[in-house]
Amino acid sequence: MGRTPCCEKNGLKKGPWTPEEDQKLIDYIQKNGYGNWRTLPKNAGLQRCGKSCRLRWTNYLRPDIKRGRFSFEEEETIIQLHIILGNKWSAIAARLPGRTDNEIKNYWNTHIRKTLLRMGIDPVTHNPRLDLLDISSILSSSFYNNSSQMNLSRFLGVQTPC
DNA sequence: AATATAAGCAACCGCCTCTTG
DNA sequence: ACAAGAGGCGGTTGCTTATAT
């Protein structure tokens, strides 16, 4: 045991990437592909560890990444996939073209989780949290007025108040 | 206008799995 | 069959930006 971390070597840079570093990484991968992340930074002239390069490429620099807000359809897809797959963000990302696991994970933690909690749904089990259910807050919630969310509620098995 | 607080997101850490010798 | 190394992944952190007071 006791594997050495990949960034153990001194002199390797950490923290936010500069535009120059981004460009070096893009140029290198466009010319050579990304066969070996371990040796890539050295070959590309980057003072970064391979993991950092891989993360930067897959989460930010990849040309097929769709940036910007998640559509309602995407959000619904994420929730439905989460019911089936749980916190398998990469598996969920694989079904959402142009989105990364990190992006989905962030979106889940900052938006969807809170939305589900507000709706009285446990974001882990997707079961209604009847003990905490606050009907009035659900009634006043903007989501209540949205038909897609109503479908989602039905999908999740949440009883809609009448 | 200044400060405090919350939200959003990029990036790191460390564990797990897969591959290779 | 086993060990070591590399890649991949999920959880978490911490910086930046937006919003409230």
Side-chain angles (χ1 to χ4, degrees):
Chain A
M1 305 310 248
R3 274 176 54 190
T4 54
C6 73
C7 301
E8 186 87 336
K9 287 176 200 160
N10 291 332
L12 290 185
K13 197 180 164 209
K14 282 164 58 168
W17 280 64
T18 64
E20 291 74 26
E21 287 177 311
D22 282 346
Q23 201 51 54
K24 276 186 182 178
L25 185 56
I26 292 167
D27 288 347
Y28 181 85
I29 290 176
Q30 280 177 350
K31 278 187 198 140
N32 308 285
Y34 46 86
N36 187 337
W37 289 112
R38 196 85 170 180
T39 56
L40 184 148
K42 196 180 172 185
N43 295 336
L46 288 161
Q47 299 297 308
R48 295 273 181 176
C49 72
K51 272 190 175 186
S52 183
C53 294
R54 188 186 65 81
L55 207 67
R56 183 65 179 169
W57 175 256
T58 54
N59 288 335
Y60 202 82
L61 300 175
R62 248 172 44 200
D64 59 325
I65 287 179
K66 186 205 298 182
R67 305 207 71 81
R69 296 177 69 84
F70 280 78
S71 68
F72 205 88
E73 288 70 30
E74 285 177 314
E75 186 175 321
E76 198 169 331
T77 303
I78 292 168
I79 295 171
Q80 294 185 11
L81 287 170
H82 189 269
I83 293 169
I84 301 161
L85 301 167
N87 291 4
K88 303 288 177 197
W89 307 117
S90 59
I92 294 171
R95 289 163 176 76
L96 281 167
R99 299 295 188 182
T100 70
D101 54 354
N102 206 37
E103 201 178 8
I104 292 169
K105 180 170 60 183
N106 280 334
Y107 190 68
W108 177 272
N109 287 328
T110 55
H111 294 89
I112 301 178
R113 219 175 73 87
K114 286 174 192 169
T115 300
L116 292 178
L117 285 170
R118 223 178 294 133
M119 292 169 74
I121 297 167
D122 188 317
V124 179
T125 63
H126 293 271
N127 291 324
R129 301 176 74 205
L130 292 173
D131 54 324
L132 301 174
L133 203 58
D134 180 354
I135 300 296
S136 60
S137 71
I138 293 171
L139 278 169
S140 61
S141 156
S142 61
F143 290 101
Y144 186 78
N145 296 319
N146 187 297
S147 61
S148 296
Q149 278 288 344
M150 288 296 286
N151 290 337
L152 178 61
S153 298
R154 256 180 265 129
F155 181 85
L156 294 172
V158 176
Q159 291 294 323
T160 54
C162 47

